Amino acid sequence: MTANFVHLRLHTSYSLTESTLRIKDLVGLIAADQQPAAAITDTNNMFGALEFAQTLAGAGIQPIMGTQITISDAEGQGEVVLLAQTERGYRNISVLLSKTLLSADATGEPVCPLSDLRSLSDDVLLLGGGALAGFIGRPASEGRESLASNRASVLAEIFPGRAYIELQRHGLTAEMIAEPHLLDIADRLDLPLVATNDCRFENAGMSQPHDTLVCIGSGRKFSEENRPRFSQEHYFKSARQMSELFSDIPEAINNSIVIAQRCSVMAVTREPILPAFDTKDGRSESEELAVQAQSGLAARLEARFNGDRGNEAARVAVAKPYNDRLEFELGIINQMGFPGYFLIVADFIQWAKAQNIPVGPGRGSGAGSLVAWALSITDLDPIKWGLLFERFLNPERISMPDFDIDFCQDRRDEVISYVQRKYGHDKVAQIITFGSLQARAALRDVGRVFEMPYTQVDRIAKLVPNNPAKPTTIAQALASEDELSKQRRDDEQVADLIDVSMKLEGLYRHASTHAAGLVIGDRPLAELVPLYRDPRSEMPVTQFNMKWVEKAGLVKFDFLGLKTLTVLHRAVGFIAQRGIQLDLAAIPLDDACTFEMLSRGDTVGVFQLESSGMRDVLRGLKPDRFEDIIAVVALYRPGPMENIKDYIARKHD
């Protein structure tokens, strides 16, 4: 039998430094108790909405889409929970939350005015908030019943038949004071009651690690009296525990099921969505792509012949494999439905080049596309270098094309501004990324909260091997580092430090912006995904990270700012001041002096060849052809690196 209660107040680890509840663990808790549904109500965000929805639905549990948001009136502010009933309600919450976050002061808490709440309340359910910080609950706990009642009346008018008075019992004095007032308000205004438990950690045993996490997030220490605290009761309670806790008000328990039944929407995955590209003469996108690619290829080949109209048969023979390859690639691109993607990328790259903004010649699998070369997306002839188009696009492995595009670091923002102007500022956004507590950082943060000596904590943290490419976990370090496990055995405080750190390791600590990724939509993005504001940028940021924003249907475009391009651009300018005109694209690839320089390991400032390890490899390899550079860049990465010595030996017979 399924449980008779569902949690409508769940803070996941996306409530940054407020919760230890990871979504993958949360599913197990919900399923083990046979609760049929659960709501996600992270603080002022929907970072985890799509992950939560897909994970719960995959386990046969109904996900309820929501958020905890702070609202305000003339008397002050307080938090409420909003839950989506329908697709329209989910979109309204997304738009409302996006508007609140994007208009928030960079240093203050985002607050939603009642006027915005009123205009976007359709198909949304509201829970009035608990005694500690709730819009209705707090004034009730402070003896201001009149204000609590007035607020409840206003919310009931904004959410007719969809507003609930929320009751919580975490054993707090404020809740005991507020409850009789809330019951009276519910009775007088004929508003339904609902019981919630503000879940922030898995079980009672996780109370101390959770308290530590809150201290980390707020920069406090355990010994401080006046700091944010949660009770030991803010854990994921079973339906039975909740029923016993509210045995005197069974309707408040039953209404949690009623609310779940009233909600019938979840964040969904979508096929890729792209804005329509403005084609010329009414051509379709596939027709426009063919016209631009054929014209671009003709120009590329004409440059190769250098205007020589000599042997026409030789020209035709040279052009044939290019024309055949172009026709093949266009067929695949159209078959997979990606002509618009190529046109969009080609447009902003061609614009950048027209503005004399340095653009990289092409990296990654996209360099294998002849269409990309014809459109000036890349400057590498894939036929000359034997590059495979199938590594970029393959009908047997359906995935979005993804060009790795480098722009001059100093002028990258100009290209982004062009894209915003062309497609609309509300349809272009950067992508969020989350920083997590890695092993060493977790140990140091927990040590600070515990007020252990810095030198002692630092010494323990350094016992965890430092491997940025594949971070070592504390558990792995305990298994491999005898000194670390010895200190854990011998010192009770160190054991506590390590055990708490292991429980917090991997939790999200802060949100920031992806270095290169942008998405472009065909409609205001807040209608597709909720948006967020990075205080360090004026540009909107998607609340879903790279993995989930693509599943939501938004296509990523890379705009990587590369310092190397800036340096090269300046160098060409300095050389021009000496009367020498240098075309970087025309530099010969067989220059003996250059290979001598590389063989000496004099490569500081040379893109991808400047690390100390790479310089050692170059001294041993002594490259004398461009193919050697290709090989060494391919080999110098985890796994293939172990073959470098053999490769060098065979290079020298």
Side-chain angles (χ1 to χ4, degrees), residues 43-44 70 77 104-105 107-111:
T43 306
N44 290 321
T70 302
Q77 62 190 49
D105 184 284
T107 58
E109 180 186 13
V111 178

Side-chain angles (χ1 to χ4, degrees), residues 32-76:
D33 198 46
Q34 296 184 304
Q35 295 181 27
I40 182 171
T41 59
D42 284 318
T43 306
N44 290 321
N45 77 66
M46 297 176 77
F47 296 154
L50 185 53
E51 180 183 348
F52 181 85
Q54 297 299 311
T55 307
L56 261 67
I61 302 165
Q62 176 198 345
I64 301 171
M65 300 292 95
T67 188
Q68 174 186 298
I69 190 170
T70 302
I71 63 174
S72 66
D73 61 10
E75 300 295 324

